[in-house]
Amino acid sequence: MKGPASRLLAVLLAVCMLVSLSGCWNYSEIDDMSIVAGVALDTNKADNNIQMTVEMVDTQGGLQDNETGFKILSLSGDTIFNIARSMISITGRKLFWSHAKVIIISEELAREGLIKVIDWYSRDTETRADVFIFISGEQNARQVLDLNSTKKTIISFELAQMMRDEKFTGTAPVVEIWDFIDKLETPGKNAIAPLINISEVNGQKNERVAGAAVFVGDRMVGKLDGKETQFTLFAKNDIKGGVLTVDNERGIPTYSLEILSSRTKVKPVWTGGKLQLQVSTLTHTGLDEVMSTVDLNGKESIQAIEERASADLQEQILAVIRKVQREYQADIFGFGKAVHDDMPQIWHGIEKRWPQEFKELDIKVTSKVVIQSTAKSSRTIKLGD
Amino acid sequence: MPIVVVLIYVFIVWLDAYGLLKQGKKRDFYMCSVLCLISFSLAFSLAMHWQIPSPSAPIVRFIQQLF
Amino acid sequence: MGKEIIPAGQSISIVILFIIGSSLFMGTSGESGNSSWIALILAVLLTLPLMLIYARLHVLFPGKNLYDMLIAVFGGFIGRLFCCLYIWYTLHLGSLVLRNYGEFSKTVALTSTPMLAPMLIVGLLCIWAVNAGMEVVGRSAKFLLLFTLAVIVVVQLLSIPKFEYQHLQPLLDSGWGPVFQDMAGTFTFPFAEIVVFLGAFTVLPRKGSAVRVLISGVVIAGVIIIGVSVRNLLVLGPEILSSLYFPSYVAVSRINIGDFLTRIEGSSAIIFVTSLFIKVSLCLYVACQGIARVFKLESYRSVVLQTGLIMVCMADFIYKDITQMQYFAYHIYKIYALPFQVFIPLLLWITAEIMAHRSTGREEDVQ
């Protein structure tokens, strides 16, 4: 076959192949999917299984409304995947998980053990591992998502935005699922997750993220409040911003230091036959608020404030570490990994009894706070009568 | 689906093996038709969803026996 | 058809793309955890002497490929037997690699597509390329190598913010034993697989060029694989790395630049296809050459289509599922491949040297 006939055949073949091969095997329209924004998981006491609440983005909102609509759906079942698929019988469409941003788990479920609910999320190909994980301090996790009916916004996206800005307050850890699983699997590290509560102010309910839940293995064993969490983050080298309040000489909180940057070094040291961990923090701050009119010299000079802040921080960090050691025996600070990294031989010896060792570990904390600037004004506001 | 496979293979035989015969390469033609038969039987079994024993199984067993 | 000769640059591209082939996405054996980069460096060092042996074979038998050498050295019957072994080995390797690709696309990218579809398309492409001749494969290898290198470098740079250097500590945590195991595993898959290229030696330009081609190819491919493995280790950490089928995919999915450049792992799968295409094409070419030599056919082109189709069909039923594939690739393959990669070439080399020695001795006697 030579000549124009074969050329024509070749072109025809090419066009056919272009049309049929360069597509996908099947396709799905957006109208046929329900996009999931966030998930809440609770225990269902009545049937002794799991209840999953899903917040979905409503794609039928139309172009006139400025806000995106949303829907909420709750279902219970034995396994997570089972529930996810059973939702089709209610929504009429398959759920689309790739845009989910948030997982909220109730405290009860967390105390029972998280692996059974997390495995599906990390294994499935449609779900993404960069969702934020929360533990709900309320009675169940569903209540947090239910807030969207009073607030008229999609709670999950709001929570995700809150997590992105969390570094400016530093009172709750920002934990994505892959990070959580990583800490579960690493020997010498225990996981924490931020707590969500609902606070009611002037009759308006708002969700509030503050504090952390402490895990041993995959079970939740305790809570830390907002302030304690801040110091925990100091010990973990996870502080990127936030505020430190310092008292004046008489013990009244007067100064606010804005944390510009902070670095923590953890060094294990073998002294006198015992393991000692030296935690040293260096924090650069700016003096952002002086709630009095005193001059910034003498007992209230920058130097003095720095020293007071350093001593204060040191004490608080040590207090939090001791509290976690005593009450929860959970190495959420990653001290075990630090020992593993720097002294592998010793780690191999004590790895098996690390929770016990951690409980009696000797910790030394040294903090240094440096005040780099005093923002715009060089002195306090003076009352000139 | 198996019918599609048969049709495609008729086309292939016409292009490939018959083409070789026309060009006079006798040995190539025999080899090509033998291979054609093998690939046709494989493709047909796949299309009919018959179970074909995997060649890696005896290798795995052999190596496992060595250790 | 006349002699096909491709310039050294294109041969080096083929060697590099062949070696990085499926390791780019499948990763290498990870038993030594965070010391796997040491195992990789050792594996590259171990491959270099083997490359020198292969290159020597090229000098001893100029213009001949593996099958000619086997028949010349071992005689008609045994030589043909060894040739059949190598035909099986390259066919099997091609199916393995195609299956890797099929599993990847089924697990990660196109979950509802039956595995045969992407494998068949890539297989047909390889058949077409091999039918067109080795020059086509060489030229496409050169171009594809530049493209692949560009993508790899960009992805490496983009993932730097996600590096956690403490994943490399502590050094040699599990001791030297697993490191040596990993070294043996990485040596056979993927480095020493370049024995397949012996079957294509007829395309090398002139007498001594095999040394340059093989050594530079192995070294550059080694650097690329070490770079990618270290990146995976730094981003993921040794524990998660051991649980994944496709570590590179997950490592790339973590990249997030300013919330704008995210989820680029689908695009980075393109480089998997390009290196795969060259690897399967080379396996197919060598298998067809083998069949042509053993059965004394006029040209290898007559059997390309059928062998390619057999390779694709075999790729479909060679494993039941991905766990079998994982087990075979990391535990069985390193022992099964040793005779093809090391023992028979060594035997060939020693016998060839003895024969060459004897013939020069006889020449001197005659004079």
Side-chain angles (χ1 to χ4, degrees):
Chain A
M1 266 203 304
K2 288 260 179 316
S6 77
R7 293 268 295 271
L8 187 60
L9 195 63
V11 169
L12 220 59
L13 202 61
V15 169
C16 281
M17 286 204 282
L18 259 177
V19 165
S20 61
L21 289 181
S22 60
C24 303
W25 195 259
N26 52 12
Y27 76 106
S28 9
E29 293 273 350
I30 285 209
D31 284 349
D32 294 341
M33 302 189 283
S34 308
I35 303 179
V36 176
V39 175
L41 296 165
D42 294 303
T43 43
N44 189 346
K45 277 276 148 53
D47 301 324
N48 206 18
N49 54 14
I50 304 177
Q51 187 185 51
M52 180 160 95
T53 311
V54 158
E55 184 182 22
M56 294 177 287
V57 176
D58 193 357
T59 47
Q60 314 242 303
L63 295 163
Q64 302 93 327
D65 312 334
N66 258 338
E67 7 175 281
T68 30
F70 50 83
K71 277 196 296 203
I72 269 206
L73 206 54
S74 250
L75 209 58
S76 31
D78 287 321
T79 64
I80 308 282
F81 193 39
N82 207 358
I83 309 175
R85 283 297 164 91
S86 313
M87 290 222 171
I88 301 179
S89 55
I90 305 188
T91 61
R93 309 174 190 166
K94 194 155 166 275
L95 297 174
F96 185 62
W97 292 89
S98 296
H99 284 291
K101 298 257 184 303
V102 152
I103 288 192
I104 308 176
I105 305 183
S106 74
E107 188 179 331
E108 242 183 287
L109 196 53
R111 283 192 191 267
E112 275 177 34
L114 273 192
I115 287 200
K116 65 182 178 199
V117 302
I118 284 197
D119 180 84
W120 172 73
Y121 212 87
S122 91
R123 186 184 292 264
D124 195 84
T125 47
E126 214 178 71
T127 56
R128 294 191 61 85
D130 55 1
V131 289
F132 298 109
I133 189 172
F134 296 94
I135 308 288
S136 162
E138 299 294 321
Q139 205 183 14
N140 54 22
R142 196 204 152 132
Q143 285 179 342
V144 180
L145 282 186
D146 273 340
L147 281 179
N148 63 7
S149 49
T150 49
K151 291 187 63 176
K152 297 269 180 290
T153 52
I154 300 183
I155 298 282
S156 313
F157 293 157
E158 229 182 69
L159 284 175
Q161 185 59 37
M162 209 186 282
M163 281 287 111
R164 284 198 205 100
D165 292 335
E166 183 59 40
K167 55 180 186 273
F168 297 120
T169 48
T171 49
V174 177
V175 182
E176 296 176 349
I177 278 214
W178 60 264
D179 193 14
F180 190 78
I181 296 182
D182 191 33
K183 296 220 171 36
L184 281 185
E185 290 203 355
T186 314
K189 266 200 218 178
N190 283 45
I192 56 175
L195 282 174
I196 276 197
N197 284 297
I198 300 183
S199 66
E200 189 156 342
V201 173
N202 295 338
Q204 221 207 11
K205 291 200 189 169
N206 268 318
E207 69 278 0
R208 192 150 179 257
V209 179
V214 178
F215 284 83
V216 167
D218 68 325
R219 282 168 204 268
M220 174 170 162
V221 293
K223 296 192 212 187
L224 295 170
D225 69 17
K227 273 226 137 299
E228 287 168 341
T229 313
Q230 190 183 33
F231 300 119
T232 313
L233 292 179
F234 262 109
K236 278 164 51 109
N237 198 17
D238 263 343
I239 288 271
K240 297 187 182 61
V243 177
L244 280 178
T245 52
V246 188
D247 304 343
N248 67 4
E249 209 204 344
R250 271 165 283 163
I252 307 173
T254 318
Y255 306 101
S256 294
L257 300 175
E258 180 188 1
I259 300 176
L260 298 171
S261 70
S262 175
R263 241 190 90 96
T264 309
K265 288 206 182 67
V266 175
K267 212 163 96 75
V269 162
W270 188 261
T271 53
K274 253 182 75 80
L275 194 58
Q276 192 200 57
L277 253 101
Q278 293 175 344
V279 180
S280 51
T281 68
L282 175 63
T283 313
H284 288 269
T285 61
L287 179 61
D288 226 47
E289 184 179 353
V290 179
M291 280 168 59
S292 75
T293 57
V294 298
D295 272 332
L296 292 175
N297 49 19
K299 283 260 172 60
E300 303 288 332
S301 69
I302 301 280
Q303 196 95 343
I305 303 178
E306 272 184 9
E307 277 165 22
R308 222 176 289 139
S310 307
D312 204 27
L313 188 60
Q314 204 164 296
E315 219 180 279
Q316 300 270 37
I317 296 182
L318 194 58
V320 165
I321 299 181
R322 289 250 184 273
K323 171 176 174 181
V324 173
Q325 268 181 313
R326 269 190 338 257
E327 284 182 31
Y328 304 131
Q329 287 151 45
D331 183 7
I332 57 181
F333 312 100
F335 290 155
K337 183 90 180 18
V339 175
H340 189 185
D341 286 347
D342 285 340
M343 308 172 147
Q345 270 81 5
I346 301 183
W347 173 250
H348 282 305
I350 55 177
E351 186 178 346
K352 298 277 182 322
R353 328 169 263 132
W354 181 242
Q356 280 301 105
E357 283 285 333
F358 175 71
K359 184 169 173 190
E360 293 144 7
L361 207 53
D362 190 18
I363 317 259
K364 208 162 88 81
V365 182
T366 34
S367 306
K368 189 160 161 56
V369 175
V370 173
I371 299 185
Q372 273 187 325
S373 71
T374 58
K376 251 183 7 199
S377 334
S378 57
R379 55 171 178 76
T380 55
I381 301 176
K382 286 228 182 313
L383 300 170
D385 277 329
Chain B
M1 191 61 200
I3 306 182
V4 174
V5 171
V6 173
L7 285 175
I8 294 181
Y9 261 87
V10 166
F11 183 59
I12 289 180
V13 168
W14 178 61
L15 259 190
D16 209 10
Y18 191 56
L20 281 176
L21 193 61
K22 287 270 288 273
Q23 285 174 19
K25 304 179 183 172
K26 277 286 181 56
R27 262 198 110 118
D28 294 23
F29 169 66
Y30 286 136
M31 201 59 220
C32 185
S33 12
V34 167
L35 284 177
C36 204
L37 231 65
I38 301 179
S39 70
F40 174 66
S41 50
L42 285 178
F44 194 67
S45 337
L46 282 180
M48 296 284 282
H49 300 291
W50 291 338
Q51 279 288 54
I52 312 176
S54 156
S56 55
I59 299 178
V60 174
R61 252 177 296 151
F62 178 62
I63 305 261
Q64 275 173 341
Q65 268 178 358
L66 284 181
F67 288 90
Chain C
M1 297 287 163
K3 236 21 180 122
E4 301 164 331
I5 304 283
I6 58 180
Q10 292 178 6
S11 314
I12 300 182
S13 313
I14 296 184
V15 171
I16 296 176
L17 282 177
F18 183 86
I19 295 183
I20 59 182
S22 31
S23 299
L24 215 54
F25 264 79
M26 294 281 291
T28 47
S29 29
E31 276 175 53
S32 52
N34 59 8
S35 318
S36 52
W37 55 278
I38 304 180
L40 282 173
I41 297 178
L42 289 176
V44 173
L45 291 175
L46 196 63
T47 322
L48 291 177
L50 195 63
M51 295 298 113
L52 293 173
I53 296 181
Y54 291 168
R56 178 84 183 127
L57 282 173
H58 184 229
V59 172
L60 285 172
F61 298 98
K64 291 188 197 274
N65 65 16
L66 176 67
Y67 302 106
D68 296 329
M69 292 181 211
L70 285 169
I71 296 183
V73 168
F74 294 116
F77 185 63
I78 305 185
R80 288 227 160 71
L81 212 65
F82 278 146
C83 289
C84 287
L85 281 182
Y86 271 104
I87 296 175
W88 160 250
Y89 175 67
T90 44
L91 210 62
H92 191 201
L93 186 62
S95 312
L96 245 60
V97 175
L98 267 182
R99 179 65 185 235
N100 277 349
Y101 174 61
E103 288 288 355
F104 173 73
S105 111
K106 181 129 181 101
T107 311
V108 144
L110 309 163
T111 37
S112 342
T113 315
M115 232 192 310
L116 195 56
M119 292 200 293
L120 185 64
I121 305 296
V122 173
L124 286 176
L125 190 63
C126 296
I127 292 174
W128 185 12
V130 175
N131 206 20
M134 214 40 190
E135 299 102 336
V136 170
V137 178
R139 282 196 294 262
S140 32
K142 187 141 193 209
F143 167 67
L144 289 174
L145 179 70
L146 293 169
F147 175 67
T148 307
L149 277 179
V151 172
I152 292 181
V153 167
V154 165
V155 169
Q156 292 285 94
L157 290 176
L158 285 181
S159 40
I160 288 185
K162 294 278 174 195
F163 284 175
E164 304 216 15
Y165 295 99
Q166 20 131 320
H167 282 150
L168 281 181
Q169 283 178 314
L171 209 54
L172 284 180
D173 191 25
S174 2
W176 280 103
V179 173
F180 285 131
Q181 267 186 344
D182 259 0
M183 176 186 83
T186 316
F187 169 70
T188 47
F189 168 73
F191 286 104
E193 278 173 1
I194 204 64
V195 71
V196 167
F197 195 64
L198 278 179
F201 261 0
T202 47
V203 308
L204 287 176
R206 63 179 181 284
K207 201 157 180 244
S209 52
V211 181
R212 213 182 94 201
V213 165
L214 285 175
I215 300 279
S216 39
V218 165
V219 168
I220 298 179
V223 167
I224 296 178
I225 295 188
I226 293 179
V228 167
S229 296
V230 168
R231 175 202 75 196
N232 288 350
L233 195 60
L234 285 174
V235 171
L236 297 172
E239 285 89 18
I240 295 192
L241 199 61
S242 59
S243 71
L244 295 170
Y245 285 131
F246 303 109
S248 291
Y249 188 78
V250 179
V252 173
S253 73
R254 297 261 176 97
I255 295 180
N256 186 339
I257 307 287
D259 248 3
F260 169 68
L261 213 58
T262 86
R263 307 197 191 198
I264 64 174
E265 66 264 16
S267 329
S268 73
I270 291 183
I271 51 177
F272 188 23
V273 183
T274 55
S275 34
L276 202 74
F277 161 62
I278 299 295
K279 194 162 184 173
V280 176
S281 299
L282 192 65
C283 288
L284 187 59
Y285 175 77
V286 173
C288 295
Q289 283 277 17
I291 297 180
R293 287 286 187 282
V294 170
F295 296 101
K296 297 215 196 63
L297 301 179
E298 260 183 53
S299 147
Y300 71 91
R301 285 203 167 87
S302 334
V303 290
V304 168
L305 182 57
Q306 308 307 325
T307 319
L309 286 175
I310 294 183
M311 210 185 260
V312 171
C313 291
M314 212 163 83
D316 199 54
F317 65 83
I318 199 160
Y319 297 119
K320 225 167 30 136
D321 52 36
I322 194 172
T323 47
Q324 231 185 19
M325 178 175 92
Q326 186 93 333
Y327 179 65
F328 189 89
Y330 288 134
H331 293 112
I332 308 280
Y333 188 71
K334 55 183 166 193
I335 306 167
Y336 153 74
L338 271 182
F340 299 102
Q341 294 170 351
V342 180
F343 297 143
I344 300 186
L346 264 180
L347 198 61
L348 185 62
W349 175 56
I350 296 176
T351 326
E353 289 281 13
I354 297 177
M355 278 175 59
H357 231 56
R358 248 190 265 149
S359 69
T360 47
R362 237 177 278 133
E363 275 172 27
E364 284 167 13
D365 282 343
V366 166
Q367 283 164 4

